[in-house]
Amino acid sequence: MPDTHLELLDSLSQRLGNQQVIRDSVAMEGYLVEERKLYRGTAMAVVRPGSTEDVAFVVRECAKAGVAIVPQGGNTGLVGGGVPRSGIVLSLERLDRIREVDPFNATITVEAGCILKAVQDEAEKADCLFPLSLASEGSCRIGGNIATNAGGVNVLRYGNTRDLVLGLEVVLADGRIWNGLKGLRKDNMGYDLKNLFIGSEGTLGIVTAAVLKLFPHPKARTVAFVGCASPHAALDLFERLRQRTGDQLTAFEFMPRFALQVVLRHAAGAVRPLAGEHEAYALIELSSPDPGIDLRERLERVLGEALEAGIVEDAVLAASEAQGDALWTLRESLAHVQRLEGGSIKHDVAVPVSRVADFIVTATQACEEAMPGVRVCAFGHFGDGNIHFNLSQPVSMEKAAFLRQWERFNRIVHDIVDGMNGSISAEHGIGLIKRDELARYKDPVALDLMRTLKRTLDPHNILNPGKVLAPEADLPSDLPSSS
Ligand code: FAD
Ligand code: ZN
């Protein structure tokens, strides 16, 4: 390690304490490997500041030494964005204080290292809802959610993370602290800077705190699991529900026949929700803060009419909270159990909601033609036009041989998405895994503006270098062949 790096680490240890500058390779392990184990990173240390001022100090020292910084929250990201390739990992995990809850302003001010579940729980104590909800909510952190503009299962009603953020505190690449912690619904004082940092995956600044929106806590909820003859019938049902239930429609999640088969085969305790099998399933939730409202009756009525109109083939409404949870588990366990079917090639894409059924049908057909036997598992946030278009390997194929086809399927699926004016990254971000795909599909003028912003806010390229945008010198060859 060069002397300048040793001096840097000594200076950081002096300010933060030795325990907060981890150099031991065993202790660093959890910060170097990402969720899917597609990448293994390398770093000279993991640094854990405990305050915004200490984050600013670390950034200033790294800037002086020209050392790269990879910010990290819960390390649950799915695109390799938090994987270091040199320099330091800056973990935000010690910035975990709830700074303020203001029920009248309907806001909560939290530090970036707060675990999402802790923020939800704190909101609940004030009889409020913080609606961001992901399967990783027990370990992902708010700073990571903001940096990735996370989505999840409540976007239909409450929006993405971007829609839930009113203000930010950010440490810039030169170590200055931008205090934008305003909890305002209206603020037209110039450019909306917070939206530059939301979704920037640690490449433009380090989020240290945020003011988040709260909502009335739902007091009534009803859940149904519905079988339809096709994705197009599911879209008809969605449109009907949106017209009839408006804001009460909180979730409309989709699973194809294969996905439910996988869940019933592998998920412990999973019970078949409907007697027969159907091409397309929808998990529907209505909720309301009004405890007196009969949502079940309302949903039953709309589903009954849809059944008569031939849109729905069969449906079950949860008779209790526990049954509602059990129906949700069918949907939520899919991400964990699909891997038991062997290799999975994944795409996280979005199209306009009006095209979502067309997309599922067209892309499914194209992939099945490209590789007979491939099992399409196209599930997810149908009501947002966001499909996790996953492909399970043919039963008899070797996993590694299947995964080598990732690029080929990217082209098939992403070309269809692009042709529908969609997005090749709906909610997981770009990181490393989709960096070359971004360069291929993003409008060139937009890419140029992104580069200009990157150069302006991080002129020495020390913030998460090589993520989202390839370095100007371009080095796409370090991507694994499976991306
Ligand atoms: P990390 O993985 O630590 O970091 C993610 C990116 O943000 C990296 O580029 C990192 O450098 C940057 N970053 C982290 N903290 C900061 C900060 N304070 N300032 C600046 N940059 C920062 N995502 C969804 O959108 N919807 C889902 O439904 C969903 N479901 C998931 C289910 C499972 C089981 C898993 C494992 C993941 C899921 N994800 C989902 C992906 C992931 O949980 C989200 O992307 C989450 O927002 C990442 O938060 P994190 O704290 O783990 O961030
Ligand atoms: Zn998702």
Side-chain angles (χ1 to χ4, degrees):
M1 195 182 289
D3 283 352
T4 48
H5 292 178
L6 285 172
E7 282 165 21
L8 167 70
L9 295 185
D10 285 347
S11 145
L12 298 182
S13 298
Q14 227 166 37
R15 166 105 178 202
L16 308 178
N18 279 331
Q19 286 146 305
Q20 310 307 347
V21 182
I22 304 168
R23 305 185 204 191
D24 171 68
S25 60
V26 176
M28 281 180 15
E29 180 68 12
Y31 301 87
L32 301 181
V33 182
E34 46 78 60
E35 181 71 30
R36 290 193 195 158
K37 317 251 178 317
L38 285 177
Y39 302 98
R40 156 168 289 281
T42 166
M44 64 171 97
V46 173
V47 180
R48 305 183 339 132
S51 68
T52 302
E53 290 68 28
D54 280 354
V55 172
F57 175 81
V58 173
V59 174
R60 278 196 302 274
E61 291 296 292
C62 287
K64 251 195 285 176
V67 164
I69 301 165
V70 179
Q72 217 178 73
N75 198 17
T76 67
L78 298 174
V79 291
V83 180
R85 288 164 330 149
S86 66
I88 63 155
V89 170
L90 192 159
S91 169
L92 278 299
E93 63 200 331
R94 289 179 61 232
L95 272 81
D96 61 354
R97 283 168 289 261
I98 306 282
R99 290 195 189 163
E100 190 191 16
V101 181
D102 182 346
F104 276 70
N105 196 40
T107 50
I108 184 168
T109 305
V110 303
E111 294 187 348
C114 288
I115 289 190
L116 172 54
K117 178 76 172 61
V119 178
Q120 295 168 347
D121 289 349
E122 203 62 32
E124 200 165 335
K125 281 187 209 157
D127 197 24
C128 290
L129 172 77
F130 180 61
L132 184 65
S133 177
L134 329 174
S136 54
E137 63 198 24
S139 47
C140 65
R141 296 175 188 265
I142 280 294
N145 301 145
I146 292 170
T148 57
N149 184 28
V153 291
N154 283 332
V155 173
L156 184 58
R157 165 71 181 83
Y158 300 98
N160 292 297
T161 301
R162 188 183 296 288
D163 303 298
L164 303 174
V165 175
L166 289 176
L168 284 185
E169 178 186 83
V170 180
V171 172
L172 305 177
D174 59 7
R176 280 182 299 162
I177 300 168
W178 169 48
N179 183 345
L181 286 178
K182 290 190 174 189
L184 302 175
R185 259 76 186 180
K186 287 193 162 184
D187 179 11
N188 276 346
M189 287 174 61
Y191 304 146
D192 185 356
L193 299 175
K194 69 177 182 303
N195 269 318
L196 280 183
F197 297 102
I198 301 170
S200 68
E201 301 184 46
T203 62
L204 299 181
I206 297 171
V207 176
T208 48
V211 186
L212 307 169
K213 282 188 202 167
L214 298 178
F215 295 81
H217 203 275
K219 301 286 191 307
R221 177 178 88 125
T222 193
V223 180
F225 202 88
V226 177
C228 296
S230 67
H232 284 89
L235 183 60
D236 285 347
L237 176 63
F238 172 67
E239 179 52 18
R240 203 172 256 252
L241 275 163
R242 199 167 46 171
Q243 293 290 345
R244 298 290 296 279
T245 62
D247 261 6
Q248 288 162 349
L249 182 59
T250 332
F252 192 102
E253 297 284 310
F254 178 86
M255 290 168 84
R257 178 198 293 258
F258 172 64
L260 185 61
Q261 285 170 347
V262 170
V263 169
L264 294 176
R265 199 151 46 228
H266 300 295
V271 177
R272 178 179 292 286
L274 301 168
E277 292 220 339
H278 306 270
E279 266 323 294
Y281 297 99
L283 178 109
I284 298 159
E285 181 177 297
L286 303 189
S287 70
S288 164
D290 178 359
I293 197 164
D294 192 346
L295 292 175
R296 191 184 150 87
E297 188 273 334
R298 177 165 299 199
L299 186 54
E300 217 165 4
R301 192 148 28 92
V302 182
L303 291 178
E305 287 163 11
L307 203 75
E308 263 173 41
I311 293 171
V312 163
E313 292 185 327
D314 196 6
V316 58
L317 278 99
S320 63
E321 276 288 308
Q323 234 182 55
D325 291 345
L327 292 176
W328 262 111
T329 305
L330 294 175
R331 158 66 184 89
E332 285 179 334
S333 52
L334 182 57
H336 305 293
V337 296
Q338 197 214 336
R339 69 182 66 144
L340 301 174
E341 291 290 323
S344 174
I345 292 179
K346 298 175 195 293
H347 306 92
D348 163 39
V349 301
V351 294
V353 177
S354 50
R355 305 300 306 275
V356 69
D358 289 344
F359 165 73
I360 292 172
V361 170
T362 312
T364 299
Q365 204 176 357
C367 290
E368 285 172 352
E369 270 167 26
M371 184 183 281
V374 77
R375 294 165 302 157
V376 176
C377 190
F379 69 97
H381 320 296
F382 193 89
D384 310 323
N386 171 198
I387 296 298
H388 296 309
F389 194 85
N390 292 359
L391 303 167
S392 279
Q393 65 172 80
V395 177
S396 55
M397 196 167 181
E398 220 193 289
K399 179 175 173 179
F402 176 66
L403 292 178
R404 279 197 294 276
Q405 301 297 312
W406 203 310
E407 285 292 340
R408 186 170 154 234
F409 282 112
N410 271 352
R411 206 54 52 241
I412 295 170
V413 176
H414 291 167
D415 278 357
I416 293 170
V417 167
D418 193 48
M420 293 183 175
N421 211 8
S423 168
I424 59 143
S425 176
E427 59 173 6
H428 296 158
I430 299 297
L432 272 178
I433 215 168
K434 287 191 176 172
R435 200 180 68 183
D436 291 352
E437 292 295 284
L438 183 79
R440 178 185 282 267
Y441 291 103
K442 186 100 181 166
D443 172 74
V445 177
L447 267 181
D448 189 46
L449 285 174
M450 285 175 65
R451 288 216 174 81
T452 305
L453 284 169
K454 173 70 177 168
R455 274 196 298 270
T456 306
L457 288 172
D458 182 20
H460 304 296
N461 196 24
I462 61 164
L463 294 180
N464 215 356
K467 309 293 171 55
V468 183
L469 292 167
E472 312 267 326
D474 233 327
L475 24 102
S477 55
D478 63 353
L479 294 172
S481 59
S482 63
S483 70

